[in-house]
Amino acid sequence: MTAFAAHRPERATGYRLDQLATAFDRVMNPRDWQAPIRSVIPAAERHVVETAVRWFTATVPSFEPAPGEVDRLVITAPGYRLGKSES
């Protein structure tokens, strides 16, 4: 196995890099991708969004029901600047 194959995101996460990037693009701050995250997402997207935030920021997002919205979640995370390398 090559080093490239060993570090492909789909091996570690179950998602391709383009899937993670698309999910992260939906929740990141469009003016500063490294900033803290606060966004509303469909509840069905929770797993891919959580995986994407962990992948790109090394932080753990939290989710809460969106007030007054059925099947939507508010996601918050510290963002890349505050991310810590997981050991």
Side-chain angles (χ1 to χ4, degrees), residues 38-43 63-75:
R38 180 171 176 80
S39 189
V40 178
I41 63 165
F63 296 87
E64 297 179 12
E69 296 190 49
V70 178
D71 295 330
R72 295 188 59 84
L73 299 170
V74 175
I75 175 178

Side-chain angles (χ1 to χ4, degrees), residues 23-65:
F24 186 70
D25 286 349
R26 285 194 295 257
V27 297
M28 71 174 195
N29 181 324
R31 285 177 259 136
D32 180 6
W33 74 271
Q34 298 177 349
I37 293 168
R38 180 171 176 80
S39 189
V40 178
I41 63 165
E45 296 178 8
R46 178 182 175 148
H47 190 262
V48 68
V49 169
E50 181 174 6
T51 303
V53 169
R54 286 175 176 262
W55 182 264
F56 287 107
T57 70
T59 64
V60 178
S62 61
F63 296 87
E64 297 179 12

